[in-house]
């Protein structure tokens, strides 16, 4: 087999003093943190679509990235060659997992039957490469947003023909995810929403969305897929009003339709910030309600304000994210680098620099978060801040054993509440001690 990344050997851990940019400074896969290895806590995955199908294009210009192995054809042969390159990259980088969209690893045909046939051939090759290398599939998904047929959505499309086509595509994508041993399957509703209220029956579209997800959950059981079904929230872009706006919206939607036991959430950092939240906000709210299943690790550029999908190099952000993960005992599915090199980063080694930097960032975040939690100072401060709910009237509020009449009587007797500082700057100083 040809070597596509010649001159780059397997990336090794060399420690924080290393000056080698093709080495890990902080990610030591076998290092134990709070009883588990870094590899087990982080479960890193490479996003096939960004790393091996990304061209460097943006809304204002065509691609800048040319790869020697890609002849530009829409052929199975070219698709299989891309997989060869990808698995060489996975092995040299040392990531245990990968993720894919169906139409990114395999060419779409002139018909659904032809697309399925193409996908079967490519999946057979991927299965053999997984066997040879030991790299596993974190999750698969179906691209229900790029083809013009989905311009008005997939499961929320006003045309039932499109709904049925999308269902058939997801059915196949779930089958091949099972075949490759995927640990999850993700639904990203890239166009599940609407542009104008004037031509939209919102309730009907939401009902259809729920029916689609119910069918998927039923089919998961029918085929014996033991992995986790995941929904990835996103507030906008490309659709102006997306139904999966943020973690809280998706959880409310699932509970409304009785689907909360069938799905968990795949939280992406850049989507959380587009919704006006922080990365750790959507992670925390999903985690607190037992619905954080997987993470897409990236970041946006606050000066641009759109989904730039950059690699997260912010250690403080990674520390707060990993604190959520540690508090819930791990990530059920994994941490996927849904991130791409920038338009200007066109060399092959840039792919390694980006992933090494991202992996080191989250490794530092993991260690920092562990120290912060093990020290117990932050936990103690938070406990003290809510201490009034541990006894007396506060305990009755939490237990649901009081009412407005009793609370009025208590407040009249107690008088005006004392002003208690939130000490926010003090908490921020504490975080800085660990990062």
């Amino acid at each position: 087999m040809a070597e596509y990344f010649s001159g780059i050997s397997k990336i090794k851990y060399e420690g924080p003093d290393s000056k080698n940019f093709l080495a890990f400074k902080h990610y030591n896969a076998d290092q134990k943190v709070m009883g588990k290895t870094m590899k087990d806590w982080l479960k890193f995955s490479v996003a096939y679509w960004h790393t091996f199908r990304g061209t460097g294009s943006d809304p204002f210009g065509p691609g800048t990235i040319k790869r020697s192995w890609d002849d530009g054809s829409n052929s199975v042969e070219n698709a299989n060659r891309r997989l060869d390159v990808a698995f060489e990259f996975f092995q040299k980088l040392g990531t245990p997992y990968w993720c894919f969209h169906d139409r990114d690893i395999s060419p779409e045909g002139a018909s659904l039957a032809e697309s399925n046939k193409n996908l079967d051939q490519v999946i057979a090759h991927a299965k053999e490469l997984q066997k040879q290398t030991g790299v596993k599939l974190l999750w698969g998904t179906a691209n229900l947003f790029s083809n013009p047929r989905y311009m008005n959505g997939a499961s929320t499309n006003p045309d039932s023909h499109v709904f049925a086509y999308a269902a058939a595509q997801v059915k196949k994508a779930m089958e091949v995810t099972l075949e490759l041993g995927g640990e999850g399957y993700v639904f990203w509703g890239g166009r599940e929403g609407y542009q104008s209220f004037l031509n939209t029956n919102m309730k009907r579209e939401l009902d259809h969305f729920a029916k689609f997800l119910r069918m998927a959950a039923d089919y998961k059981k029918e085929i014996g897929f033991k992995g986790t079904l995941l929904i990835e929230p996103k507030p906008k872009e490309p659709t102006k009003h997306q139904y999966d706006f943020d973690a809280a919206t998706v959880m409310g939607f699932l509970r409304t339709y009785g689907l909360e036991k069938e799905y968990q959430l795949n939280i992406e950092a850049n989507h959380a910030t587009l919704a006006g939240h922080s990365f750790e906000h959507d992670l925390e709210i999903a985690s607190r309600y037992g619905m954080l299943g997987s993470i897409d690790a990236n970041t946006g550029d606050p000066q641009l304000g759109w989904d730039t999908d950059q690699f997260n190099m912010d250690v403080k952000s990674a520390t707060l994210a990993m604190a959520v993960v540690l508090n819930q005992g791990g990530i059920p599915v994994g941490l996927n680098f849904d991130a791409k090199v920038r338009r200007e980063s066109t060399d092959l080694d840039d792919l390694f620099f980006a992933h090494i930097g991202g992996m080191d960032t989250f490794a530092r975040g993991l260690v920092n978060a562990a120290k912060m939690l093990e020290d117990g100072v932050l936990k103690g401060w938070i406990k003290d801040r809510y201490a009034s709910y541990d006894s007396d009237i506060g305990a009755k509020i939490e237990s649901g054993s009081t009412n407005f009449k009793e609370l009025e009587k208590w407040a009249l007797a107690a008088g005006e509440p004392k002003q208690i500082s939130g000490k926010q700057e003090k908490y921020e100083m504490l975080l800085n001690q660990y990062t």
Side-chain angles (χ1 to χ4, degrees), residues 381 422-431 433:
W381 286 1
K423 302 288 186 187
Q424 186 165 316
E425 291 79 8
K426 184 181 179 183
Y427 283 76
E428 290 169 347
M429 288 175 67
L430 179 67
L431 176 62
Q433 291 179 20

Side-chain angles (χ1 to χ4, degrees), residues 128-423:
E128 183 58 33
L129 289 169
Q130 286 189 181
K131 183 179 178 181
Q132 291 174 12
T133 63
V135 177
K136 297 180 285 188
L137 179 65
L138 191 68
W139 50 256
T141 188
N143 182 332
L144 302 181
F145 48 88
S146 294
N147 192 290
R149 78 173 67 88
Y150 297 124
M151 66 179 184
N152 292 309
S155 63
T156 60
N157 198 292
D159 183 357
S160 60
H161 188 164
V162 177
F163 183 106
Y165 198 105
Q169 189 175 332
V170 168
K171 174 181 177 290
K172 184 65 176 178
M174 290 177 69
E175 290 166 357
V176 299
T177 298
L178 171 62
E179 185 176 353
L180 292 179
E183 298 193 11
Y185 182 89
V186 172
F187 292 82
W188 178 59
R191 298 188 190 275
E192 306 296 27
Y194 70 95
Q195 301 286 11
S196 172
F197 185 73
L198 296 173
N199 67 349
T200 301
N201 186 327
M202 189 188 301
K203 177 62 165 58
R204 209 167 182 184
E205 290 194 358
L206 286 166
D207 287 349
H208 295 165
F209 192 15
K211 290 181 187 299
F212 193 94
L213 293 174
R214 171 57 66 191
M215 292 178 200
D218 290 345
Y219 193 62
K220 169 193 169 180
K221 296 167 188 170
E222 183 179 334
I223 63 176
F225 179 49
K226 303 301 183 184
T228 304
L229 297 182
L230 299 149
I231 296 178
E232 182 175 324
K234 186 179 183 182
K236 57 185 177 180
E237 196 191 66
T239 307
K240 185 163 60 176
H241 300 287
Q242 288 189 201
Y243 295 135
D244 50 354
F245 182 85
D246 62 2
T249 303
V250 173
M251 289 192 295
F253 168 84
L254 292 172
R255 291 180 185 277
T256 297
Y257 288 97
L259 292 163
E260 70 274 13
K261 296 189 184 304
E262 307 289 354
Y263 290 86
Q264 291 194 319
L265 272 58
N266 181 55
I267 300 298
E268 178 176 317
N270 204 173
H271 293 178
T273 52
L274 285 173
H277 305 309
S278 64
F279 181 23
E280 60 271 16
H281 169 87
D282 262 19
L283 290 174
E284 178 73 359
I285 195 167
S287 177
R288 289 294 178 175
Y289 288 92
M291 297 193 75
L292 176 59
S294 201
I295 296 174
D296 269 8
N298 60 20
T299 190
D301 189 323
Q303 292 175 299
L304 290 177
W306 46 283
D307 199 4
T308 53
D309 285 331
Q310 296 168 205
F311 282 83
N312 192 340
M313 306 291 185
D314 184 340
V315 175
K316 189 173 292 187
S317 169
T319 299
L320 292 170
M322 295 315 299
V324 178
V325 171
L326 288 170
N327 273 325
Q328 75 165 27
I331 316 172
V333 182
L335 192 153
N336 172 49
F337 284 111
D338 187 6
K340 58 192 174 188
V341 294
R342 293 174 176 85
R343 177 177 169 80
E344 303 83 10
S345 299
T346 56
D347 291 344
L348 287 183
D349 57 6
D350 292 325
L351 292 175
F352 285 92
F353 297 147
H355 285 85
I356 292 167
M359 293 166 76
D360 269 345
T361 297
F362 278 90
R364 287 182 67 185
L366 176 67
V367 171
N368 293 343
K371 288 178 181 176
M372 187 166 62
L373 296 178
E374 287 174 330
D375 286 353
V377 176
L378 180 63
K379 184 178 180 181
W381 286 1
I382 294 174
K383 186 177 187 301
D384 290 344
R385 192 172 185 225
Y386 292 88
S388 67
Y389 287 94
D390 295 334
S391 61
D392 193 29
I393 197 67
K396 296 184 77 173
I397 291 170
E398 286 207 341
S399 67
S401 60
T402 188
N403 54 52
F404 270 12
K405 287 182 179 179
E406 183 181 12
L407 289 170
E408 180 191 41
K409 182 180 178 181
W410 189 92
L412 286 169
E416 182 67 21
K418 291 188 296 184
Q419 182 171 297
I420 301 174
S421 173
K423 302 288 186 187

